[in-house]
Amino acid sequence: MRTRMQPENPSEIPSNDDRMDVLGVPELPSSRQRWTVRRKAAVIEAVRGGWMPIEEACRVYNISVDEFLAWERDIDRNGVPGLRTTRYQIYRDTDAQRG
């Protein structure tokens, strides 16, 4: 029987961006790193999981509450790929067609 810590396929081993510490707290990105979809998702997960208040996340990462809420909206509507800035136009157009 395999556990979560022993993936069957070595390519399933999570990258640093995917790892959580022993207590389940997501590994948060440095405030100096460029934003990737996984880093944005980690911050959203930390706030939603109660590990970090939204105000602290916005202060630490120098983002506005509106920007954070837009990330949440995007991840809720389109999953992690919805956080990609290069795909934003496609998702925005799709939302307009739905409405």
Side-chain angles (χ1 to χ4, degrees):
M1 179 172 140
R2 296 195 182 270
T3 65
R4 183 90 167 115
M5 298 303 289
Q6 299 169 339
E8 186 173 312
N9 182 345
S11 67
E12 293 176 7
I13 297 173
S15 68
N16 280 342
D17 289 338
D18 295 337
R19 291 193 182 137
M20 293 188 176
D21 73 9
V22 176
L23 300 175
V25 179
E27 186 175 309
L28 294 170
S30 161
S31 61
R32 294 187 179 119
Q33 290 178 311
R34 292 181 61 186
W35 286 112
T36 66
V37 294
R38 292 188 186 274
R39 290 182 182 131
K40 290 177 184 179
V43 173
I44 292 168
E45 182 181 358
V47 171
R48 287 183 172 178
W51 294 296
M52 174 184 273
I54 189 171
E55 297 82 9
E56 182 181 348
C58 292
R59 181 183 52 76
V60 168
Y61 295 107
N62 196 27
I63 58 173
S64 68
V65 172
D66 288 336
E67 184 173 11
F68 179 85
L69 295 175
W71 291 357
E72 280 193 313
R73 182 197 63 229
D74 293 341
I75 203 168
D76 289 341
R77 287 183 182 172
N78 303 299
V80 174
L83 295 172
R84 293 179 60 191
T85 57
T86 56
R87 304 290 291 179
Y88 184 73
Q89 181 70 38
I90 292 170
Y91 293 118
R92 189 175 66 203
D93 290 345
T94 303
D95 289 344
Q97 290 172 358
R98 286 184 199 158

